[in-house]
Amino acid sequence: MKTTACKTTHRITDRTQRTNSHRFAICPLSIVLYLALLTGCSNDLDTYSNVASPAIVTFEAAVTPMTAADAAPSAEGTRAVVDGTFEEGETIGVVDKSIPGVVHCYVSHDGQFVPATDADAIHWNEGETLKVIAAWRPYPYIQLNTITHQPHDQRKYDDFDKANILLSRATIDRNTQPVLTFTRNLYTRITVNLRAGEGTSQNDIGQATLKLLNLCTNEITIDDRGTYTASYTPNDILPYERIPATTSYLRTFEAIVRSDALLWSKDDTYELIRITIGNRNYSYHKPKGTELFFLPGEHQTYNVTVNSK
């Protein structure tokens, strides 16, 4: 995935070695990279089954621990599962592996997942004490035995949310309230914060468009027993704009991309971020001599100052 730098791309003038974070001084972009865990959810159905019967399986649910990217509680992109819980009305697909090929829709209600309808209920059979369960979100976006693409155009919030794939599998005990723990082991979340620098104005940043380049999205398939397989498709990513922006920045963009233990090697200098203002492109390339890791469940934040000289 080789790219050609645009005319306004400047070389890196200084950098420090990567430990838990990166700092890059570049023109026209100045970027600081921090890592954290990521987040995301949606909501859907709002009608629930009668769950009074003790033979109906219900779940508590949690999401693997994370650190929020910023502390703005009103920011839509950081709202869900930051505290390890799901929003009221969030829906998941559930497969009982003893009944392969049947998807049960469960919905978050009063702190637990319950059947969305009576027909969706999973039942404990007489004498049955254990079940093997697989669950995922977003549902019904991801269906059984169907290749589902993580959207690469995430400019609409619904498409950004669809990219937030959470997976869980567990053996549950009839004598214990089941807890499903969901993981984000397929992707990394990226945040880009923009502000004006030398030679640029707030109006310039307000007109800017942003693209993430030389990345990948997932293609996921879940089979009749709830086992998933994932492959990838190279894609440029069009991110979602989060409003309000992060404090002290004019605009904030969010994207979810496929994770990889080592995305780019020390010798790679691919273009990662391209900002377009009018007919000028401003680019950030990974510096040569450093490795770039997009680890599962990480949240990478790029704080960008756009300079025009």
Side-chain angles (χ1 to χ4, degrees):
M1 296 181 290
K2 186 176 181 180
T3 62
T4 301
C6 61
K7 291 182 180 179
T8 56
T9 301
H10 291 239
R11 293 184 181 276
I12 292 171
T13 58
D14 183 37
R15 65 170 180 270
T16 57
Q17 293 298 316
R18 181 184 189 278
T19 53
N20 290 328
S21 64
H22 294 282
R23 183 177 297 275
F24 304 111
I26 66 172
C27 289
L29 302 183
S30 298
I31 297 176
V32 181
L33 166 63
Y34 298 96
L35 300 181
L37 293 176
L38 70 142
T39 174
C41 272
S42 68
N43 59 59
D44 199 331
L45 300 183
D46 57 4
T47 57
Y48 316 111
S49 167
N50 179 355
V51 295
S53 170
I56 293 178
V57 178
T58 62
F59 309 99
E60 293 179 1
V63 182
T64 47
M66 69 201 75
T67 302
D70 75 332
S74 61
E76 184 179 20
T78 61
R79 61 182 170 79
V81 299
V82 171
D83 58 356
T85 61
F86 286 82
E87 287 192 337
E88 183 79 4
E90 177 91 27
T91 55
I92 59 174
V94 183
V95 169
D96 175 356
K97 292 192 176 183
S98 68
I99 314 173
V102 178
V103 182
H104 305 263
C105 181
Y106 270 58
V107 61
S108 179
H109 178 54
D110 288 341
Q112 63 178 332
F113 275 98
V114 299
T117 67
D118 290 339
D120 286 301
I122 298 173
H123 294 267
W124 289 108
N125 299 316
E126 184 176 356
E128 189 178 32
T129 59
L130 297 176
K131 283 184 178 292
V132 180
I133 295 293
W136 67 91
R137 67 88 63 208
Y139 181 80
Y141 181 64
I142 300 176
Q143 296 283 338
L144 287 187
N145 300 310
T146 302
I147 297 175
T148 303
H149 301 269
Q150 245 178 346
H152 71 275
D153 185 346
Q154 300 174 14
R155 288 174 293 181
K156 294 180 179 179
Y157 184 79
D158 285 348
D159 293 320
F160 172 70
D161 186 65
K162 287 173 183 176
N164 179 28
I165 300 170
L166 301 178
L167 302 165
S168 179
R169 60 186 63 203
T171 299
I172 62 174
D173 189 321
R174 185 169 186 166
N175 297 315
T176 305
Q177 175 62 26
V179 178
L180 299 181
T181 300
F182 288 81
T183 61
R184 307 171 185 81
N185 56 351
L186 291 177
Y187 60 82
T188 299
R189 179 174 169 180
I190 297 175
T191 296
V192 181
N193 296 312
L194 297 184
R195 61 186 169 195
E198 183 178 349
T200 59
S201 66
Q202 292 187 15
N203 185 60
D204 291 331
I205 301 304
Q207 297 178 31
T209 60
L210 188 145
K211 182 186 293 186
L212 302 174
L213 297 94
N214 296 302
L215 297 171
C216 297
T217 51
N218 286 289
E219 294 180 347
I220 184 171
T221 304
I222 298 177
D223 69 15
D224 285 344
R225 299 180 63 82
T227 301
Y228 78 88
T229 56
S231 57
Y232 67 90
T233 301
N235 271 311
D236 294 339
I237 311 297
L238 301 175
Y240 165 75
E241 182 171 4
R242 171 158 59 82
I243 300 174
T246 302
T247 303
S248 300
Y249 291 88
L250 296 174
R251 298 177 72 186
T252 294
F253 294 88
E254 305 265 9
I256 291 174
V257 305
R258 178 182 170 88
S259 58
D260 202 316
L262 177 59
L263 184 65
W264 294 338
S265 69
K266 290 182 179 180
D267 293 330
D268 291 329
T269 57
Y270 295 127
E271 184 181 11
L272 176 59
I273 300 172
R274 181 183 298 168
I275 297 167
T276 301
I277 302 174
N279 60 1
R280 292 194 71 184
N281 289 327
Y282 300 80
S283 296
Y284 167 68
H285 291 250
K286 186 196 79 66
K288 190 172 184 178
T290 62
E291 296 174 337
L292 179 61
F293 295 84
F294 279 7
L295 298 178
E298 282 186 341
H299 185 163
Q300 299 190 359
T301 298
Y302 293 78
N303 294 326
V304 178
T305 300
V306 182
N307 299 311
S308 181
K309 295 183 178 180

